Amino acid sequence: MAKFRSACAAVLILAIFCAVLYAQQQPTKPPISADKAKMMGYVDDFFMNNARDITMRKSLEWGDPTTDDKGNVSITYKFLALIWDKDRITFESKFTFDKDGKFVNFEKLSAEPVAKEAEFDPKNVTLPVMQGLVEKFFSENFRDITARKTVKWGDVKTNDNGTFSIDYQCEVTIWDKDKMTIEYRFTFDQKGKYVGHEKLSSEPVKTGKVEATPETAAADQFLSEIAAGNYDKAIALCDETMKKEMPIAMLKKIWTDLTTQFGKSTSIQAIKTEKLLEYIRVHEECRFEKGQAVLLVVIGKELKISGLFVLSLDQAGNIVEKSTFVKLDPAASRKKAQEGWQCFMQGNSAEGEPLFLVATELDPQNANAWQGLGWSQWSQGKKDEAKKSFETCLTLDKRNTAAMNGLGQIAQLAGDTERAIGYWTEGAKLDPRATGPMASLAAVYDGKDDYENAIKYYEMWLRAEPNNDHAKTALAKVKEKTVKQ
């Protein structure tokens, strides 16, 4: 046991550091196969050591690996390249490596020059011109948006500082799964260069009532008891942790704030369910006389209520203030979160915590702020507060691997190694770049003398971060142990 704790402690700070470095890399991608991730790593390594004429490269599409009769593995790769900082060309190539990862050859399947853009005229900024700039931005960013449908365009506005802005509302699909209606404001300078964008509103696309399950029935009953004023019966449906963290007084305040703002409750129905680890999360649409809200009810073991969150508020078709009447300001929230991260990265967690806290108040749906709040609390030893912040982050962004890593660290220190492994394994599956969970898993399995799994996660870590000296050294030591056995 001493050996196990020592091995875990040795990598704990490093694992946290990896998670924080990765924390603001959003969005995360859906899980891909280990073979495909390996081939992607081989191709990236090829570019790191070759093709010096390519001064910028942006991935557009990866194919699936194929194996020939000699055991060589190939993968097709489409990318946009900038040649000597001048010509932009879209390539599609086929790369082949042998079974040990040694480069065999590559074949250029296609190469198309990208047409140069027309010169931007600040004296004639029309709607089609701004639409073209926005479309270009989408083509080069937002890789998590796998489908997009325009809802409406706003008017072109000239700002006091000479820049140009336009509002754009669209319905998007995130990683072929979640559908959202989002309104952006894009700003460009007098040369047509991107200045920035702001998310004005964001809400899930309503999908209608879902099929009834024991979990949706439990969520419906919980909210119905609250709506009827039966707070004691609602609390009786909760697990022990929920009872401590959200007593009757807090439940009453949440519902009173909603009814004060929107009027009497008229209907409650589940519109979406999703699974995260051992929990089922039920999205409940609650309609009132003057508006509606989407609440998220988390169902745990034995159909007990494990969490309650307000996801969105809507009054007469418009997003309104938080139920506590704090004015929402997503832009200010992002700025405060950025200041919080700067403090955290400089080792000033105590100064970063209140900045993150303000960020969550300015925009309760800012998952990055909740994640930062969790890490700043964790580094000060505030494990219970950090746990709640990480869980809130995951409620808003269920693919946030850094928050999963944080919850794994908390579970590990509490002696619940299996639960920690569950969080870290889920994080490693969700994103092949998430080095925090990989580092933690490698350390845990190393400490348990499970060398097969330790090697697996050290190697996975190195595929994501090939030049990490600690991972290289640790992997070599584990392999030495296997030889001596």
Side-chain angles (χ1 to χ4, degrees):
M1 179 60 72
K3 177 183 176 184
F4 173 64
R5 289 176 177 170
S6 175
C8 292
V11 80
L12 179 59
I13 298 302
L14 180 62
I16 294 173
F17 184 63
C18 289
V20 172
L21 284 180
Y22 181 73
Q24 300 189 65
Q25 295 180 13
Q26 295 294 339
T28 54
K29 294 185 178 181
I32 61 175
S33 70
D35 289 339
K36 186 172 182 177
K38 185 190 299 182
M39 290 296 290
M40 290 166 67
Y42 290 158
V43 172
D44 280 333
D45 183 68
F46 173 84
F47 277 102
M48 288 174 63
N49 297 286
N50 300 276
R52 297 303 182 190
D53 57 327
I54 296 179
T55 50
M56 184 281 291
R57 174 171 55 93
K58 184 174 185 62
S59 299
L60 299 178
E61 185 178 345
W62 290 91
D64 291 320
T66 58
T67 305
D68 63 19
D69 53 4
K70 297 180 181 179
N72 296 327
V73 184
S74 299
I75 189 170
T76 56
Y77 176 44
K78 187 175 182 179
F79 60 96
L80 173 65
L82 183 64
I83 309 299
W84 295 125
D85 292 322
K86 185 179 180 182
D87 299 318
R88 292 159 59 91
I89 301 176
T90 299
F91 291 99
E92 184 168 13
S93 300
K94 181 179 180 181
F95 290 82
T96 302
F97 300 84
D98 68 14
K99 62 181 181 180
D100 297 319
K102 185 178 179 180
F103 174 75
V104 175
N105 60 50
F106 85 96
E107 178 185 356
K108 190 183 295 182
L109 303 178
S110 65
E112 289 186 32
V114 178
K116 292 185 178 180
E117 301 167 14
E119 188 173 342
F120 183 82
D121 182 3
K123 295 181 181 179
N124 186 32
V125 184
T126 62
L127 177 60
V129 169
M130 291 292 281
Q131 288 175 331
L133 293 176
V134 172
E135 290 296 339
K136 178 178 180 293
F137 182 84
F138 271 97
S139 71
E140 298 176 351
N141 299 275
F142 294 143
R143 309 315 296 179
D144 58 321
I145 295 179
T146 50
R148 174 170 55 93
K149 182 175 69 175
T150 297
V151 177
K152 67 177 180 178
W153 290 92
D155 296 326
V156 178
K157 297 178 182 178
T158 302
N159 303 314
D160 293 338
N161 61 359
T163 59
F164 304 93
S165 296
I166 189 169
D167 293 352
Y168 175 56
Q169 188 179 61
C170 53
E171 183 179 300
V172 301
T173 303
I174 309 297
W175 294 128
D176 294 319
K177 187 175 182 182
D178 297 322
K179 291 190 175 183
M180 304 285 293
T181 299
I182 304 176
E183 184 170 10
Y184 298 97
R185 176 168 295 158
F186 289 90
T187 302
F188 301 87
D189 67 14
Q190 292 209 347
K191 294 183 179 180
K193 291 185 178 180
Y194 169 80
V195 174
H197 74 275
E198 179 182 355
K199 189 182 292 184
L200 303 179
S201 66
S202 175
E203 60 178 347
V205 174
K206 297 176 177 60
T207 56
K209 191 172 182 179
V210 297
E211 183 179 350
T213 66
E215 290 79 15
T216 60
D220 288 343
Q221 182 185 359
F222 175 63
L223 292 180
S224 296
E225 296 291 3
I226 295 175
N230 301 325
Y231 300 108
D232 53 343
K233 293 183 179 179
I235 286 292
L237 300 172
C238 300
D239 62 22
E240 294 305 314
T241 301
M242 180 72 171
K243 289 176 181 178
K244 293 177 182 177
E245 295 183 353
M246 192 169 287
I248 288 179
M250 187 176 294
L251 277 183
K252 187 174 182 179
K253 183 180 186 308
I254 291 172
W255 198 256
T256 300
D257 284 347
L258 288 170
T259 54
T260 299
Q261 191 165 344
F262 297 134
K264 185 180 178 181
S265 170
T266 58
S267 68
I268 296 171
Q269 71 171 23
I271 58 173
K272 179 181 177 181
T273 62
E274 55 196 7
K275 181 175 175 60
L276 178 64
L277 298 178
E278 70 267 37
Y279 299 101
I280 299 296
R281 310 189 315 174
V282 182
H283 295 241
E284 292 273 358
E285 182 182 75
C286 302
R287 291 186 175 272
F288 300 85
E289 294 172 321
K290 297 182 292 183
Q292 64 187 52
V294 177
L295 305 187
L296 184 126
V297 182
V298 182
I299 311 297
K301 297 177 180 178
E302 299 179 351
L303 297 178
K304 291 291 186 179
I305 309 300
S306 298
L308 174 65
F309 302 91
V310 179
L311 292 185
S312 67
L313 304 173
D314 194 301
Q315 185 172 35
N318 299 307
I319 299 296
V320 296
E321 284 82 14
K322 185 181 174 183
S323 60
T324 53
F325 304 106
V326 175
K327 182 175 177 58
L328 290 180
D329 191 339
S333 174
R334 291 193 295 271
K335 184 177 180 181
K336 282 295 179 185
Q338 184 178 14
E339 293 173 2
W341 280 115
Q342 289 173 348
C343 289
F344 182 86
M345 297 305 290
Q346 293 170 2
N348 299 323
S349 297
E351 295 180 16
E353 182 181 1
L355 293 171
F356 285 123
L357 189 58
V358 171
T360 64
E361 292 173 349
L362 290 169
D363 182 6
Q365 296 190 63
N366 186 341
N368 183 49
W370 285 106
Q371 182 197 133
L373 181 61
W375 283 115
S376 63
Q377 292 166 334
W378 162 256
S379 63
Q380 296 178 77
K382 301 178 180 179
K383 295 188 292 294
D384 293 339
E385 292 92 333
K387 181 174 181 289
K388 188 181 298 184
S389 297
F390 286 138
E391 288 175 341
T392 303
C393 175
L394 272 184
T395 297
L396 299 170
D397 178 9
K398 63 182 179 181
R399 307 183 73 86
N400 193 302
T401 57
M404 290 180 188
N405 189 37
L407 288 170
Q409 301 291 350
I410 293 171
Q412 174 68 8
L413 283 189
D416 193 347
T417 303
E418 293 307 312
R419 187 175 182 82
I421 289 175
Y423 279 119
W424 293 331
T425 302
E426 183 74 10
K429 284 180 180 178
L430 282 172
D431 195 328
R433 304 168 300 167
T435 55
M438 297 172 197
S440 300
L441 284 166
V444 166
Y445 285 122
D446 193 355
K448 292 165 68 74
D449 293 339
D450 184 346
Y451 300 136
E452 181 180 353
N453 275 314
I455 290 172
K456 171 185 173 181
Y457 285 106
Y458 277 129
E459 289 180 340
M460 189 182 294
W461 182 3
L462 283 170
R463 284 197 295 272
E465 198 175 4
N467 298 320
N468 189 292
D469 291 334
H470 177 87
K472 289 179 182 178
T473 302
L475 177 60
K477 289 181 178 178
V478 173
K479 287 185 175 180
E480 286 179 10
K481 295 176 186 176
T482 61
V483 173
K484 293 178 180 179
Q485 281 188 330

PDB file of all heavy atoms in Angstrom, residues 63 101 165 339 426:
ATOM      1  N   GLY A  63      -9.207   9.712 -42.784  1.00  0.00           N
ATOM      2  CA  GLY A  63      -9.883   8.476 -43.146  1.00  0.00           C
ATOM      3  C   GLY A  63      -9.703   7.431 -42.055  1.00  0.00           C
ATOM      4  O   GLY A  63      -9.128   7.709 -41.001  1.00  0.00           O
ATOM      5  N   GLY A 101       5.389   1.162 -36.987  1.00  0.00           N
ATOM      6  CA  GLY A 101       5.270   2.608 -37.060  1.00  0.00           C
ATOM      7  C   GLY A 101       6.319   3.281 -37.917  1.00  0.00           C
ATOM      8  O   GLY A 101       6.402   4.520 -37.939  1.00  0.00           O
ATOM      9  N   SER A 165     -19.583  44.845 -37.430  1.00  0.00           N
ATOM     10  CA  SER A 165     -20.156  43.696 -36.726  1.00  0.00           C
ATOM     11  C   SER A 165     -21.446  43.246 -37.399  1.00  0.00           C
ATOM     12  O   SER A 165     -22.132  44.030 -38.069  1.00  0.00           O
ATOM     13  CB  SER A 165     -20.449  44.046 -35.265  1.00  0.00           C
ATOM     14  OG  SER A 165     -19.260  44.337 -34.566  1.00  0.00           O
ATOM     15  N   GLU A 339      -8.854  35.818 -16.463  1.00  0.00           N
ATOM     16  CA  GLU A 339      -8.048  36.400 -15.380  1.00  0.00           C
ATOM     17  C   GLU A 339      -7.807  35.356 -14.291  1.00  0.00           C
ATOM     18  O   GLU A 339      -6.714  35.291 -13.697  1.00  0.00           O
ATOM     19  CB  GLU A 339      -8.762  37.620 -14.804  1.00  0.00           C
ATOM     20  CG  GLU A 339      -8.853  38.796 -15.778  1.00  0.00           C
ATOM     21  CD  GLU A 339      -9.723  39.921 -15.227  1.00  0.00           C
ATOM     22  OE1 GLU A 339     -10.220  39.799 -14.085  1.00  0.00           O
ATOM     23  OE2 GLU A 339      -9.918  40.923 -15.949  1.00  0.00           O
ATOM     24  N   GLU A 426     -12.972   7.123 -18.651  1.00  0.00           N
ATOM     25  CA  GLU A 426     -13.955   7.826 -19.478  1.00  0.00           C
ATOM     26  C   GLU A 426     -13.293   9.017 -20.175  1.00  0.00           C
ATOM     27  O   GLU A 426     -13.516   9.264 -21.365  1.00  0.00           O
ATOM     28  CB  GLU A 426     -15.116   8.314 -18.605  1.00  0.00           C
ATOM     29  CG  GLU A 426     -16.233   9.002 -19.370  1.00  0.00           C
ATOM     30  CD  GLU A 426     -17.102   8.045 -20.150  1.00  0.00           C
ATOM     31  OE1 GLU A 426     -16.969   6.824 -19.955  1.00  0.00           O
ATOM     32  OE2 GLU A 426     -17.917   8.522 -20.960  1.00  0.00           O
TER      33      GLU A 426
END
